[in-house]
PDB file of all heavy atoms in Angstrom:
ATOM      1  N   GLU A   1       5.383  39.869 -30.162  1.00 91.00           N
ATOM      2  CA  GLU A   1       6.527  40.688 -30.560  1.00 91.00           C
ATOM      3  C   GLU A   1       6.802  41.837 -29.588  1.00 91.00           C
ATOM      4  O   GLU A   1       7.717  42.624 -29.803  1.00 91.00           O
ATOM      5  CB  GLU A   1       6.292  41.274 -31.966  1.00 91.00           C
ATOM      6  CG  GLU A   1       5.990  40.235 -33.030  1.00 91.00           C
ATOM      7  CD  GLU A   1       7.125  39.238 -33.186  1.00 91.00           C
ATOM      8  OE1 GLU A   1       8.286  39.659 -33.074  1.00 91.00           O
ATOM      9  OE2 GLU A   1       6.840  38.034 -33.377  1.00 91.00           O
ATOM     10  N   THR A   2       5.994  41.928 -28.532  1.00 92.00           N
ATOM     11  CA  THR A   2       6.168  43.038 -27.583  1.00 92.00           C
ATOM     12  C   THR A   2       7.275  42.719 -26.585  1.00 92.00           C
ATOM     13  O   THR A   2       7.207  41.708 -25.887  1.00 92.00           O
ATOM     14  CB  THR A   2       4.842  43.292 -26.817  1.00 92.00           C
ATOM     15  OG1 THR A   2       3.806  43.595 -27.754  1.00 92.00           O
ATOM     16  CG2 THR A   2       5.001  44.448 -25.842  1.00 92.00           C
ATOM     17  N   PRO A   3       8.323  43.552 -26.498  1.00 91.00           N
ATOM     18  CA  PRO A   3       9.419  43.300 -25.560  1.00 91.00           C
ATOM     19  C   PRO A   3       8.909  43.220 -24.124  1.00 91.00           C
ATOM     20  O   PRO A   3       8.062  44.014 -23.700  1.00 91.00           O
ATOM     21  CB  PRO A   3      10.329  44.522 -25.752  1.00 91.00           C
ATOM     22  CG  PRO A   3      10.007  45.027 -27.120  1.00 91.00           C
ATOM     23  CD  PRO A   3       8.544  44.760 -27.318  1.00 91.00           C
ATOM     24  N   GLY A   4       9.396  42.228 -23.386  1.00 92.00           N
ATOM     25  CA  GLY A   4       9.008  42.083 -21.991  1.00 92.00           C
ATOM     26  C   GLY A   4       7.853  41.140 -21.749  1.00 92.00           C
ATOM     27  O   GLY A   4       7.610  40.726 -20.619  1.00 92.00           O
ATOM     28  N   VAL A   5       7.101  40.780 -22.799  1.00 93.00           N
ATOM     29  CA  VAL A   5       5.990  39.848 -22.648  1.00 93.00           C
ATOM     30  C   VAL A   5       6.486  38.433 -22.920  1.00 93.00           C
ATOM     31  O   VAL A   5       6.933  38.121 -24.029  1.00 93.00           O
ATOM     32  CB  VAL A   5       4.821  40.198 -23.609  1.00 93.00           C
ATOM     33  CG1 VAL A   5       3.740  39.125 -23.557  1.00 93.00           C
ATOM     34  CG2 VAL A   5       4.245  41.553 -23.264  1.00 93.00           C
ATOM     35  N   ARG A   6       6.428  37.576 -21.911  1.00 93.00           N
ATOM     36  CA  ARG A   6       6.883  36.193 -22.054  1.00 93.00           C
ATOM     37  C   ARG A   6       5.739  35.280 -22.517  1.00 93.00           C
ATOM     38  O   ARG A   6       5.921  34.458 -23.411  1.00 93.00           O
ATOM     39  CB  ARG A   6       7.420  35.680 -20.717  1.00 93.00           C
ATOM     40  CG  ARG A   6       8.659  36.405 -20.226  1.00 93.00           C
ATOM     41  CD  ARG A   6       9.845  36.143 -21.153  1.00 93.00           C
ATOM     42  NE  ARG A   6      11.080  36.689 -20.617  1.00 93.00           N
ATOM     43  CZ  ARG A   6      11.907  36.018 -19.833  1.00 93.00           C
ATOM     44  NH1 ARG A   6      11.623  34.778 -19.473  1.00 93.00           N
ATOM     45  NH2 ARG A   6      13.022  36.576 -19.392  1.00 93.00           N
ATOM     46  N   GLU A   7       4.588  35.420 -21.850  1.00 96.00           N
ATOM     47  CA  GLU A   7       3.398  34.633 -22.205  1.00 96.00           C
ATOM     48  C   GLU A   7       2.183  35.540 -22.077  1.00 96.00           C
ATOM     49  O   GLU A   7       2.189  36.483 -21.281  1.00 96.00           O
ATOM     50  CB  GLU A   7       3.248  33.419 -21.277  1.00 96.00           C
ATOM     51  CG  GLU A   7       4.392  32.426 -21.322  1.00 96.00           C
ATOM     52  CD  GLU A   7       4.131  31.234 -20.408  1.00 96.00           C
ATOM     53  OE1 GLU A   7       3.185  30.476 -20.672  1.00 96.00           O
ATOM     54  OE2 GLU A   7       4.874  31.091 -19.418  1.00 96.00           O
ATOM     55  N   ALA A   8       1.128  35.228 -22.842  1.00 96.00           N
ATOM     56  CA  ALA A   8      -0.054  36.101 -22.795  1.00 96.00           C
ATOM     57  C   ALA A   8      -1.282  35.378 -23.336  1.00 96.00           C
ATOM     58  O   ALA A   8      -1.174  34.445 -24.144  1.00 96.00           O
ATOM     59  CB  ALA A   8       0.186  37.378 -23.599  1.00 96.00           C
ATOM     60  N   ALA A   9      -2.449  35.825 -22.878  1.00 97.00           N
ATOM     61  CA  ALA A   9      -3.723  35.327 -23.391  1.00 97.00           C
ATOM     62  C   ALA A   9      -4.724  36.486 -23.348  1.00 97.00           C
ATOM     63  O   ALA A   9      -4.611  37.391 -22.504  1.00 97.00           O
ATOM     64  CB  ALA A   9      -4.241  34.151 -22.569  1.00 97.00           C
ATOM     65  N   LEU A  10      -5.689  36.462 -24.252  1.00 97.00           N
ATOM     66  CA  LEU A  10      -6.669  37.531 -24.373  1.00 97.00           C
ATOM     67  C   LEU A  10      -8.078  36.946 -24.304  1.00 97.00           C
ATOM     68  O   LEU A  10      -8.421  36.063 -25.090  1.00 97.00           O
ATOM     69  CB  LEU A  10      -6.479  38.273 -25.697  1.00 97.00           C
ATOM     70  CG  LEU A  10      -7.497  39.361 -26.061  1.00 97.00           C
ATOM     71  CD1 LEU A  10      -7.433  40.504 -25.058  1.00 97.00           C
ATOM     72  CD2 LEU A  10      -7.233  39.883 -27.470  1.00 97.00           C
ATOM     73  N   LEU A  11      -8.865  37.425 -23.353  1.00 96.00           N
ATOM     74  CA  LEU A  11     -10.254  36.997 -23.194  1.00 96.00           C
ATOM     75  C   LEU A  11     -11.159  38.147 -23.611  1.00 96.00           C
ATOM     76  O   LEU A  11     -11.026  39.265 -23.099  1.00 96.00           O
ATOM     77  CB  LEU A  11     -10.536  36.614 -21.741  1.00 96.00           C
ATOM     78  CG  LEU A  11     -11.985  36.315 -21.371  1.00 96.00           C
ATOM     79  CD1 LEU A  11     -12.464  35.033 -22.063  1.00 96.00           C
ATOM     80  CD2 LEU A  11     -12.165  36.192 -19.863  1.00 96.00           C
ATOM     81  N   SER A  12     -12.094  37.879 -24.535  1.00 93.00           N
ATOM     82  CA  SER A  12     -13.008  38.935 -24.983  1.00 93.00           C
ATOM     83  C   SER A  12     -14.415  38.368 -25.110  1.00 93.00           C
ATOM     84  O   SER A  12     -14.656  37.442 -25.884  1.00 93.00           O
ATOM     85  CB  SER A  12     -12.540  39.501 -26.331  1.00 93.00           C
ATOM     86  OG  SER A  12     -13.372  40.568 -26.734  1.00 93.00           O
ATOM     87  N   THR A  13     -15.349  38.905 -24.304  1.00 88.00           N
ATOM     88  CA  THR A  13     -16.762  38.516 -24.364  1.00 88.00           C
ATOM     89  C   THR A  13     -17.590  39.789 -24.436  1.00 88.00           C
ATOM     90  O   THR A  13     -17.054  40.904 -24.438  1.00 88.00           O
ATOM     91  CB  THR A  13     -17.161  37.705 -23.131  1.00 88.00           C
ATOM     92  OG1 THR A  13     -17.255  38.586 -21.990  1.00 88.00           O
ATOM     93  CG2 THR A  13     -16.142  36.613 -22.822  1.00 88.00           C
ATOM     94  N   CYS A  14     -18.910  39.626 -24.460  1.00 79.00           N
ATOM     95  CA  CYS A  14     -19.770  40.810 -24.531  1.00 79.00           C
ATOM     96  C   CYS A  14     -19.694  41.637 -23.248  1.00 79.00           C
ATOM     97  O   CYS A  14     -19.998  42.839 -23.256  1.00 79.00           O
ATOM     98  CB  CYS A  14     -21.214  40.408 -24.819  1.00 79.00           C
ATOM     99  SG  CYS A  14     -21.900  39.275 -23.587  1.00 79.00           S
ATOM    100  N   ASN A  15     -19.295  41.016 -22.139  1.00 83.00           N
ATOM    101  CA  ASN A  15     -19.283  41.721 -20.862  1.00 83.00           C
ATOM    102  C   ASN A  15     -17.886  42.036 -20.340  1.00 83.00           C
ATOM    103  O   ASN A  15     -17.759  42.706 -19.318  1.00 83.00           O
ATOM    104  CB  ASN A  15     -20.047  40.925 -19.790  1.00 83.00           C
ATOM    105  CG  ASN A  15     -21.539  41.056 -19.954  1.00 83.00           C
ATOM    106  OD1 ASN A  15     -22.031  42.107 -20.321  1.00 83.00           O
ATOM    107  ND2 ASN A  15     -22.257  39.982 -19.722  1.00 83.00           N
ATOM    108  N   ARG A  16     -16.838  41.540 -21.001  1.00 91.00           N
ATOM    109  CA  ARG A  16     -15.492  41.808 -20.498  1.00 91.00           C
ATOM    110  C   ARG A  16     -14.450  41.625 -21.581  1.00 91.00           C
ATOM    111  O   ARG A  16     -14.629  40.834 -22.520  1.00 91.00           O
ATOM    112  CB  ARG A  16     -15.169  40.923 -19.294  1.00 91.00           C
ATOM    113  CG  ARG A  16     -14.897  39.472 -19.623  1.00 91.00           C
ATOM    114  CD  ARG A  16     -14.473  38.677 -18.386  1.00 91.00           C
ATOM    115  NE  ARG A  16     -15.544  38.639 -17.406  1.00 91.00           N
ATOM    116  CZ  ARG A  16     -15.477  39.190 -16.196  1.00 91.00           C
ATOM    117  NH1 ARG A  16     -14.382  39.832 -15.833  1.00 91.00           N
ATOM    118  NH2 ARG A  16     -16.485  39.118 -15.365  1.00 91.00           N
ATOM    119  N   THR A  17     -13.359  42.371 -21.443  1.00 95.00           N
ATOM    120  CA  THR A  17     -12.136  42.159 -22.217  1.00 95.00           C
ATOM    121  C   THR A  17     -10.997  42.164 -21.218  1.00 95.00           C
ATOM    122  O   THR A  17     -10.837  43.141 -20.463  1.00 95.00           O
ATOM    123  CB  THR A  17     -11.920  43.260 -23.267  1.00 95.00           C
ATOM    124  OG1 THR A  17     -12.942  43.180 -24.260  1.00 95.00           O
ATOM    125  CG2 THR A  17     -10.569  43.095 -23.947  1.00 95.00           C
ATOM    126  N   GLU A  18     -10.210  41.083 -21.186  1.00 97.00           N
ATOM    127  CA  GLU A  18      -9.129  40.971 -20.211  1.00 97.00           C
ATOM    128  C   GLU A  18      -7.877  40.410 -20.872  1.00 97.00           C
ATOM    129  O   GLU A  18      -7.950  39.534 -21.725  1.00 97.00           O
ATOM    130  CB  GLU A  18      -9.544  40.074 -19.032  1.00 97.00           C
ATOM    131  CG  GLU A  18     -10.658  40.675 -18.210  1.00 97.00           C
ATOM    132  CD  GLU A  18     -10.948  39.906 -16.940  1.00 97.00           C
ATOM    133  OE1 GLU A  18     -10.528  38.732 -16.829  1.00 97.00           O
ATOM    134  OE2 GLU A  18     -11.621  40.476 -16.068  1.00 97.00           O
ATOM    135  N   LEU A  19      -6.755  40.915 -20.402  1.00 97.00           N
ATOM    136  CA  LEU A  19      -5.447  40.501 -20.899  1.00 97.00           C
ATOM    137  C   LEU A  19      -4.686  39.893 -19.732  1.00 97.00           C
ATOM    138  O   LEU A  19      -4.579  40.504 -18.659  1.00 97.00           O
ATOM    139  CB  LEU A  19      -4.717  41.731 -21.430  1.00 97.00           C
ATOM    140  CG  LEU A  19      -3.437  41.560 -22.238  1.00 97.00           C
ATOM    141  CD1 LEU A  19      -3.718  40.731 -23.492  1.00 97.00           C
ATOM    142  CD2 LEU A  19      -2.891  42.931 -22.620  1.00 97.00           C
ATOM    143  N   TYR A  20      -4.194  38.661 -19.905  1.00 97.00           N
ATOM    144  CA  TYR A  20      -3.385  38.009 -18.884  1.00 97.00           C
ATOM    145  C   TYR A  20      -1.973  37.853 -19.432  1.00 97.00           C
ATOM    146  O   TYR A  20      -1.785  37.215 -20.470  1.00 97.00           O
ATOM    147  CB  TYR A  20      -3.960  36.633 -18.541  1.00 97.00           C
ATOM    148  CG  TYR A  20      -5.452  36.622 -18.288  1.00 97.00           C
ATOM    149  CD1 TYR A  20      -6.297  35.847 -19.072  1.00 97.00           C
ATOM    150  CD2 TYR A  20      -6.018  37.400 -17.278  1.00 97.00           C
ATOM    151  CE1 TYR A  20      -7.661  35.836 -18.851  1.00 97.00           C
ATOM    152  CE2 TYR A  20      -7.388  37.402 -17.052  1.00 97.00           C
ATOM    153  CZ  TYR A  20      -8.207  36.613 -17.845  1.00 97.00           C
ATOM    154  OH  TYR A  20      -9.555  36.599 -17.623  1.00 97.00           O
ATOM    155  N   CYS A  21      -0.992  38.415 -18.741  1.00 96.00           N
ATOM    156  CA  CYS A  21       0.374  38.404 -19.250  1.00 96.00           C
ATOM    157  C   CYS A  21       1.373  38.006 -18.172  1.00 96.00           C
ATOM    158  O   CYS A  21       1.250  38.420 -17.009  1.00 96.00           O
ATOM    159  CB  CYS A  21       0.775  39.779 -19.775  1.00 96.00           C
ATOM    160  SG  CYS A  21      -0.042  40.254 -21.297  1.00 96.00           S
ATOM    161  N   LEU A  22       2.340  37.226 -18.583  1.00 95.00           N
ATOM    162  CA  LEU A  22       3.506  36.944 -17.763  1.00 95.00           C
ATOM    163  C   LEU A  22       4.641  37.776 -18.363  1.00 95.00           C
ATOM    164  O   LEU A  22       4.999  37.596 -19.528  1.00 95.00           O
ATOM    165  CB  LEU A  22       3.843  35.459 -17.810  1.00 95.00           C
ATOM    166  CG  LEU A  22       4.741  34.933 -16.688  1.00 95.00           C
ATOM    167  CD1 LEU A  22       4.035  35.066 -15.350  1.00 95.00           C
ATOM    168  CD2 LEU A  22       5.102  33.477 -16.940  1.00 95.00           C
ATOM    169  N   THR A  23       5.158  38.710 -17.577  1.00 93.00           N
ATOM    170  CA  THR A  23       6.103  39.681 -18.116  1.00 93.00           C
ATOM    171  C   THR A  23       7.429  39.650 -17.354  1.00 93.00           C
ATOM    172  O   THR A  23       7.515  39.108 -16.246  1.00 93.00           O
ATOM    173  CB  THR A  23       5.529  41.110 -18.031  1.00 93.00           C
ATOM    174  OG1 THR A  23       5.490  41.512 -16.643  1.00 93.00           O
ATOM    175  CG2 THR A  23       4.141  41.175 -18.618  1.00 93.00           C
ATOM    176  N   ASP A  24       8.445  40.263 -17.945  1.00 90.00           N
ATOM    177  CA  ASP A  24       9.690  40.492 -17.242  1.00 90.00           C
ATOM    178  C   ASP A  24       9.458  41.528 -16.142  1.00 90.00           C
ATOM    179  O   ASP A  24       8.408  42.169 -16.085  1.00 90.00           O
ATOM    180  CB  ASP A  24      10.756  40.999 -18.212  1.00 90.00           C
ATOM    181  CG  ASP A  24      11.177  39.925 -19.217  1.00 90.00           C
ATOM    182  OD1 ASP A  24      11.071  38.740 -18.881  1.00 90.00           O
ATOM    183  OD2 ASP A  24      11.587  40.293 -20.344  1.00 90.00           O
ATOM    184  N   GLU A  25      10.467  41.701 -15.289  1.00 81.00           N
ATOM    185  CA  GLU A  25      10.338  42.690 -14.212  1.00 81.00           C
ATOM    186  C   GLU A  25      10.087  44.088 -14.787  1.00 81.00           C
ATOM    187  O   GLU A  25       9.344  44.872 -14.241  1.00 81.00           O
ATOM    188  CB  GLU A  25      11.589  42.691 -13.336  1.00 81.00           C
ATOM    189  CG  GLU A  25      11.733  41.445 -12.474  1.00 81.00           C
ATOM    190  CD  GLU A  25      10.560  41.248 -11.538  1.00 81.00           C
ATOM    191  OE1 GLU A  25      10.029  42.249 -11.015  1.00 81.00           O
ATOM    192  OE2 GLU A  25      10.160  40.080 -11.330  1.00 81.00           O
ATOM    193  N   ASP A  26      10.755  44.392 -15.906  1.00 78.00           N
ATOM    194  CA  ASP A  26      10.481  45.659 -16.604  1.00 78.00           C
ATOM    195  C   ASP A  26       9.239  45.459 -17.463  1.00 78.00           C
ATOM    196  O   ASP A  26       9.313  45.163 -18.651  1.00 78.00           O
ATOM    197  CB  ASP A  26      11.678  46.056 -17.475  1.00 78.00           C
ATOM    198  CG  ASP A  26      12.895  46.355 -16.636  1.00 78.00           C
ATOM    199  OD1 ASP A  26      12.715  46.807 -15.487  1.00 78.00           O
ATOM    200  OD2 ASP A  26      14.025  46.130 -17.122  1.00 78.00           O
ATOM    201  N   CYS A  27       8.081  45.608 -16.810  1.00 75.00           N
ATOM    202  CA  CYS A  27       6.800  45.298 -17.461  1.00 75.00           C
ATOM    203  C   CYS A  27       6.474  46.328 -18.550  1.00 75.00           C
ATOM    204  O   CYS A  27       6.562  47.537 -18.306  1.00 75.00           O
ATOM    205  CB  CYS A  27       5.692  45.277 -16.421  1.00 75.00           C
ATOM    206  SG  CYS A  27       4.057  44.958 -17.096  1.00 75.00           S
ATOM    207  N   PRO A  28       6.093  45.871 -19.738  1.00 83.00           N
ATOM    208  CA  PRO A  28       5.665  46.818 -20.778  1.00 83.00           C
ATOM    209  C   PRO A  28       4.361  47.502 -20.372  1.00 83.00           C
ATOM    210  O   PRO A  28       3.626  47.001 -19.511  1.00 83.00           O
ATOM    211  CB  PRO A  28       5.468  45.923 -22.006  1.00 83.00           C
ATOM    212  CG  PRO A  28       5.219  44.559 -21.456  1.00 83.00           C
ATOM    213  CD  PRO A  28       6.018  44.464 -20.197  1.00 83.00           C
ATOM    214  N   ASP A  29       4.061  48.622 -20.988  1.00 90.00           N
ATOM    215  CA  ASP A  29       2.851  49.388 -20.678  1.00 90.00           C
ATOM    216  C   ASP A  29       1.665  48.749 -21.410  1.00 90.00           C
ATOM    217  O   ASP A  29       1.376  49.082 -22.561  1.00 90.00           O
ATOM    218  CB  ASP A  29       3.024  50.837 -21.103  1.00 90.00           C
ATOM    219  CG  ASP A  29       1.918  51.720 -20.555  1.00 90.00           C
ATOM    220  OD1 ASP A  29       0.843  51.183 -20.243  1.00 90.00           O
ATOM    221  OD2 ASP A  29       2.139  52.931 -20.447  1.00 90.00           O
ATOM    222  N   LEU A  30       0.979  47.832 -20.717  1.00 92.00           N
ATOM    223  CA  LEU A  30      -0.140  47.113 -21.338  1.00 92.00           C
ATOM    224  C   LEU A  30      -1.354  48.007 -21.540  1.00 92.00           C
ATOM    225  O   LEU A  30      -2.156  47.768 -22.444  1.00 92.00           O
ATOM    226  CB  LEU A  30      -0.498  45.890 -20.486  1.00 92.00           C
ATOM    227  CG  LEU A  30       0.617  44.833 -20.370  1.00 92.00           C
ATOM    228  CD1 LEU A  30       0.212  43.745 -19.391  1.00 92.00           C
ATOM    229  CD2 LEU A  30       0.920  44.225 -21.739  1.00 92.00           C
TER     230      LEU A  30
END
């Protein structure tokens, strides 16, 4: 539901949390 986010995935493990996003040129503040 976040404006500007076209596609996204969230990786969360004990050693890392990462967000991968395909956004519009006006990128939201991730």
Side-chain angles (χ1 to χ4, degrees):
E1 304 301 322
T2 301
V5 174
R6 296 294 187 90
E7 299 181 65
L10 175 64
L11 173 67
S12 183
T13 73
C14 58
N15 283 324
R16 73 176 64 244
T17 294
E18 294 188 343
L19 191 60
Y20 312 120
C21 289
L22 199 64
T23 70
D24 292 332
E25 289 302 323
D26 295 330
C27 178
D29 192 337
L30 297 174

